[in-house]
Amino acid sequence: MPRLSAGARHRVRFALNGRAVEAEVEPRTTLLDTLRGPLAATGTHAGCEHGVCGACTIQVDGSMARACLMLAVQVEGASIRTVEGLAPAPDRLSVLQEAFREHHGLQCGFCTPGILMTLDAYLRDHPSPDERELREVLSGHLCRCTGYAPILRAALAAAERLREDVSHA
Amino acid sequence: MKPASFDYVRAEDRKEVLDVLRREGTEARILAGGQSLMPMLAMRLARPGVLVDVMGVPEFRILSDDAAGLTIGAGVRQAALGALPDLAQRHPMLAAALPWIGHAQTRSRGTVCGSVAHADPSAEIPLLLLALGGEVRLRSHRRARSLPAGEFFTGLMNTAKAENEMIDSVFIPAAKPGVGQAFREIGRRHGDYAIVACAAVADGAVLRLAVGGVADRPMMRSLPQPGDPTLEEALDAFAWDLGARDDLHATARYRRELVRRLGRATIEEAARCRA
């Protein structure tokens, strides 16, 4: 493919929460900055910007990913899902979001979008996780408010509720 | 925390990658999963002129586990190891170590070969490759060569890879029947840097322990069997020879003690698993 030169901006196209979007970016621009800047999707939070804190976790083609550890030019043609894509309607929370509200799984809310995107992907592939497995997957996120216990409770409650929804469907 | 400028090439085949490396040498860096390189760019510890994205190259997607062993191409993500059938039976050490490699959120993007190329002394994958007698298969526009892991890692984030070379794949020989393997690590949490990580292989009368997180690269040594009265002294000598230093995470003394205790526990587990 042609080389994308450092100084210039290049058009990148991908799907964001099911909608086709495009942005003009330099090769060095991270996916995180592209989401929050030109695409104004500020639900994904910028924390440490070097892959440690987990605040910017999103889904790329269904898999969890740190948006700060990806370049926008890498996601040409990909399908990106962010926290803005979770709620089924503007006035309705997803099961996972509702469980976080109910169990006080957030206080300041800074880490929450990343944690939700991790759990959304994880619960899809692992509908019956135990507490140990959830602790393991949550170890990829830093939360300085909750002490994690309410987050675990919310995740377990959401898993249970999602299983019920499937069995009643 | 913003990378400096660089050009970007999304390579379509191996030749294109090797051509860029031939032309631009040290100015070029391979971008695979980005889970080690992107932080280096963000902190401007690396300032390459051009990144060559290899994830679209079909030749690098090879992941095969046959009678000879496991071949892992440059484009294979760490999470793909977890999806291999019978991983725990065929490669018990890999299965035991996988949860310790980064986090689920980084294993989904990070590659096996990328971690080998990065050569962080605390990283699990270089340690596993050394302990399991793995090989690093390198390629440049001119030649292909293979190095044992013990020769590939040469120091702190330093390897024997030349400027015009890339890691094409790594190879891990199949575990021989009756050989015991074990992996243990002490870190603050799964996914954090290892304070000390130990990997042991018990193959008949030969017992080897590899240790990561202490020296400037993973180090391996043959040791006496559990129950042998000279084991304690040999472990103590290994612990001192690794040249542990104090850092933010642990003191040198604590690391030496971990090498003695965790090393012994890992050896004992490998010996128990030996048929």
Side-chain angles (χ1 to χ4, degrees), chain B:
Chain B
M1 286 294 174
K2 309 291 178 195
S5 294
F6 46 75
D7 288 0
Y8 173 86
V9 176
R10 188 184 302 115
E12 281 168 10
D13 56 35
R14 176 157 48 202
K15 183 175 177 305
E16 191 179 359
V17 180
L18 299 178
D19 279 347
V20 177
L21 292 180
R22 172 177 59 83
R23 280 200 312 271
E24 318 209 17
T26 47
E27 275 300 300
R29 291 294 287 266
I30 302 285
L31 174 63
Q35 304 301 291
S36 300
L37 181 57
M38 284 293 293
M40 300 278 287
L41 295 172
M43 292 184 270
R44 302 201 178 191
L45 295 169
R47 297 186 67 154
V50 56
L51 289 192
V52 192
D53 185 342
V54 300
M55 296 309 279
V57 175
E59 291 105 309
F60 297 147
R61 286 187 204 133
I62 180 168
L63 175 62
S64 77
D65 193 14
D66 57 26
L70 180 58
T71 303
I72 306 167
V76 174
R77 302 192 196 274
Q78 293 150 12
L81 290 186
L84 280 172
D86 306 324
L87 183 72
Q89 285 76 45
R90 292 184 48 81
H91 301 282
M93 190 190 290
L94 292 184
L98 196 60
W100 292 92
I101 301 169
H103 299 283
Q105 296 84 351
T106 60
R107 290 194 292 275
S108 60
R109 303 289 310 171
T111 63
V112 173
C113 291
S115 176
V116 173
H118 188 59
D120 187 301
S122 297
E124 289 81 12
I125 292 174
L127 172 68
L128 297 167
L129 203 63
L130 178 70
L132 294 171
E135 286 169 30
V136 182
R137 293 175 172 171
L138 297 160
R139 200 181 271 260
S140 70
H141 67 285
R142 208 179 307 151
R143 62 170 179 169
R145 62 178 178 139
S146 183
L147 284 179
E151 290 173 33
F152 180 76
F153 300 109
T154 55
L156 183 76
M157 292 166 141
N158 259 313
T159 71
K161 185 174 72 65
E163 283 170 21
N164 63 356
E165 283 180 315
M166 69 169 292
I167 299 177
D168 197 59
S169 64
V170 296
F171 175 76
I172 295 171
K176 284 184 280 178
V179 170
Q181 299 183 354
F183 175 88
R184 294 195 180 202
E185 178 170 325
I186 298 285
R188 297 260 174 205
R189 303 170 304 168
H190 279 194
D192 284 7
Y193 288 110
I195 294 174
V196 170
C198 290
V201 174
D203 183 356
V206 181
L207 207 155
R208 280 188 296 270
L209 176 69
V211 176
V214 187
D216 64 351
R217 73 197 100 155
M219 301 294 272
M220 185 158 69
R221 188 172 283 191
S222 290
L223 291 172
Q225 300 287 335
D228 186 317
T230 63
L231 175 59
E232 193 167 320
E233 204 178 309
L235 267 172
D236 184 57
F238 193 16
W240 281 100
D241 290 348
L242 289 168
R245 291 178 173 205
D246 293 344
D247 69 14
L248 209 63
H249 306 289
T251 60
R253 188 177 172 192
Y254 179 63
R255 282 202 165 86
R256 280 191 298 275
E257 189 60 11
L258 281 183
V259 172
R260 294 182 198 106
R261 292 185 181 221
L262 195 66
R264 175 185 282 274
T266 314
I267 287 170
E268 287 171 353
E269 188 187 332
R272 271 199 310 278
C273 296
R274 179 176 50 194

